[in-house]
Structures are given as structure tokens and as C-alpha cells.
Amino acid sequence: MIKIITVGKVRKKELSSLIDFYLKQIPRKTEIIVLKDEPTIQGMEKEGENILRNIKPTDFVITLEIKGKKISSEDLAKLISKTEDDLKGDLVFVIGGSFGLSSSVSERSNYKLSFSDFTFPHQLMQLLLAEQVYRAYQILNNHPYHK
């Protein structure tokens, strides 16, 4: 199973619709776990505790972090494929809240991934991540979606 743990819910119907579209296309069961976005930076630790409660010791965790490694769509496909081959738990992607990720979540990460040096709203990041996971599976299946 793939889990996307995200802090903060999507408020725009249009974004939700697009996210759902991509999630339904992913050939592996995929779910989004939405956690409460705390209103202050002091709440980041609470967000971290909530995130960690949803991660098992056997899960492979990929955190989305600005200082993470930037890779291509093909490399993400390879990472997913390699991880699935060795996986005993779930593949878990984590999107932090408006203040980022707590150090405890970053430390639990097996792989720190960056989509860009830009900062994106977590709502948009959910869409970008869902599309890239879908694209990764299309690459792995030699589908022409990814050209």
C-alpha cells in the first residue's frame, strides 16, 4: 500500500477532484491520511507526533523536504520499484504543514525528496505528488503517458 500523510486538508474542489483522479489511476492501493494543520510553529512538534503515529517501523518513509534530493520522474520510478521489491511495510510519503516537518519526522525518513527549491502549498503538493506517483507507475509499465 502507498500512504500519503499530509498536514492540512485540500479546500478547493478542483484540486480534490484532480488528486482523486490520479489516485484512482495508481495501480497500487493508495490512501491519503489528512492530519490537522497547527496554527503556529510551536504546533509543528504536535504535527510530527501525529505523523509518526501513522508510520509503522516496517514502513519506507519518503519525506518531501526543500533540502531533500532532487530527482527525475524516471529516478522516482526506480526508487518506487526498488523500494517495493524490498518492502515489508507500506511506502509512505509525508507532506508537512505550513511550517514544515518536525526534526523527529525528518529523522525517521528513509529518503528525503525535494520537488524544487520553491515552497509549495501543501494542497498543491498533494496534487503534484499524486501525479508523479502515477507517472512513475506509467514509466515502470512502459506506458506512453511519460514521453
Side-chain angles (χ1 to χ4, degrees):
M1 172 187 284
I2 296 174
K3 293 193 286 191
I4 298 172
I5 301 174
T6 182
V7 177
K9 62 183 169 183
V10 175
R11 294 180 185 357
K12 300 282 186 194
K13 283 188 278 185
E14 300 84 2
L15 280 178
S16 289
S17 179
L18 285 169
I19 292 166
D20 289 342
F21 169 80
Y22 285 112
L23 292 179
K24 288 176 185 169
Q25 307 304 313
I26 296 170
R28 190 162 174 212
K29 184 174 185 212
T30 305
E31 72 174 347
I32 293 185
I33 299 168
V34 179
L35 304 176
K36 183 180 184 298
D37 189 12
E38 295 296 326
T40 66
I41 196 163
Q42 290 77 19
M44 189 168 50
E45 292 305 317
K46 185 175 180 182
E47 290 172 358
E49 291 167 11
N50 291 335
I51 290 168
L52 292 173
R53 272 192 214 103
N54 286 280
I55 296 173
K56 299 178 294 215
T58 55
D59 290 344
F60 188 88
V61 178
I62 300 175
T63 50
L64 277 60
E65 304 186 32
I66 290 175
K67 294 185 180 180
K69 185 173 181 179
K70 293 176 191 71
I71 60 175
S72 67
S73 296
E74 293 87 355
D75 288 337
L76 179 60
K78 289 176 193 169
L79 176 62
I80 288 173
S81 179
K82 180 182 181 310
T83 301
E84 284 184 333
D85 291 344
D86 303 332
L87 200 58
K88 294 181 178 34
D90 296 325
L91 176 58
V92 179
F93 290 91
V94 179
I95 302 170
S98 47
F99 298 103
L101 293 171
S102 69
S103 58
S104 59
V105 173
S106 186
E107 289 167 11
R108 171 57 183 89
S109 179
N110 298 99
Y111 193 92
K112 294 168 180 51
L113 176 64
S114 174
F115 275 51
S116 170
D117 288 334
F118 290 134
T119 301
F120 294 104
H122 56 267
Q123 297 177 41
L124 184 55
M125 203 63 239
Q126 286 181 45
L127 174 59
L128 294 173
L129 178 59
E131 191 281 334
Q132 283 299 299
V133 171
Y134 167 70
R135 181 179 295 272
Y137 280 101
Q138 296 307 300
I139 291 168
L140 293 171
N141 292 320
N142 296 313
H143 190 278
Y145 175 79
H146 178 73
K147 297 174 182 131

